[in-house]
Amino acid sequence: QVQLVESGGGLVQAGDSLRLSCAVSGGTFSSYAMGWFRQAPGKEREFVGTISAPGGSTYYAISAKGRFTISRDNAKDTVYLQMNSLKPEDTAVYYCAAGPFAIGSARQYNYWGRGTQVTVSS
């Protein structure tokens, strides 16, 4: 049973930074591409970015590129999402996911965390 647990969300002001973590257990973490997605109220879940396994090549949505950075620590079975210059429109529940390929389609990921709330005030 592969489990993913996000942490690090919270309430911040516009322009602030936040780092989310996703700890993975029950599987071979280094073999998984890891994706980050988010879902705001009333909106569809959208792709944020992804990182390949195990070398760490990254791919970001246009909305995240230049502000967000994904990294992974295979020794800790953890993937991170560093978010800088946060905007109110970044407010959402953020989810991490594990899958075979570092791609942007949510349907290609096999395992999902329960999410962590990020709220950005103006």
Side-chain angles (χ1 to χ4, degrees):
Q1 181 75 272
V2 177
Q3 295 183 331
L4 288 69
V5 180
E6 301 95 338
S7 62
L11 174 63
V12 298
Q13 296 183 33
D16 284 353
S17 297
L18 201 61
R19 188 173 81 157
L20 306 183
S21 299
C22 175
V24 180
S25 62
T28 305
F29 174 76
S30 61
S31 71
Y32 299 131
M34 298 297 301
W36 285 97
F37 296 80
R38 67 187 185 185
Q39 188 166 20
K43 298 182 68 176
E44 297 291 321
R45 185 170 299 185
E46 68 173 348
F47 171 69
V48 175
T50 186
I51 186 166
S52 66
S57 297
T58 54
Y59 164 45
Y60 300 98
I62 294 174
S63 61
K65 191 174 183 179
R67 297 189 298 126
F68 294 2
T69 303
I70 298 172
S71 61
R72 67 190 297 158
D73 188 338
N74 290 331
K76 296 182 178 180
D77 292 353
T78 302
V79 64
Y80 305 95
L81 177 64
Q82 177 68 46
M83 303 185 291
N84 298 326
S85 302
L86 283 163
K87 305 173 181 178
E89 51 262 47
D90 294 318
T91 296
V93 177
Y94 283 72
Y95 300 89
C96 67
F101 307 110
I103 56 177
S105 175
R107 293 183 295 180
Q108 301 301 312
Y109 289 84
N110 299 317
Y111 307 104
W112 291 82
R114 301 299 293 268
T116 185
Q117 177 71 47
V118 172
T119 303
V120 184
S121 63
S122 60

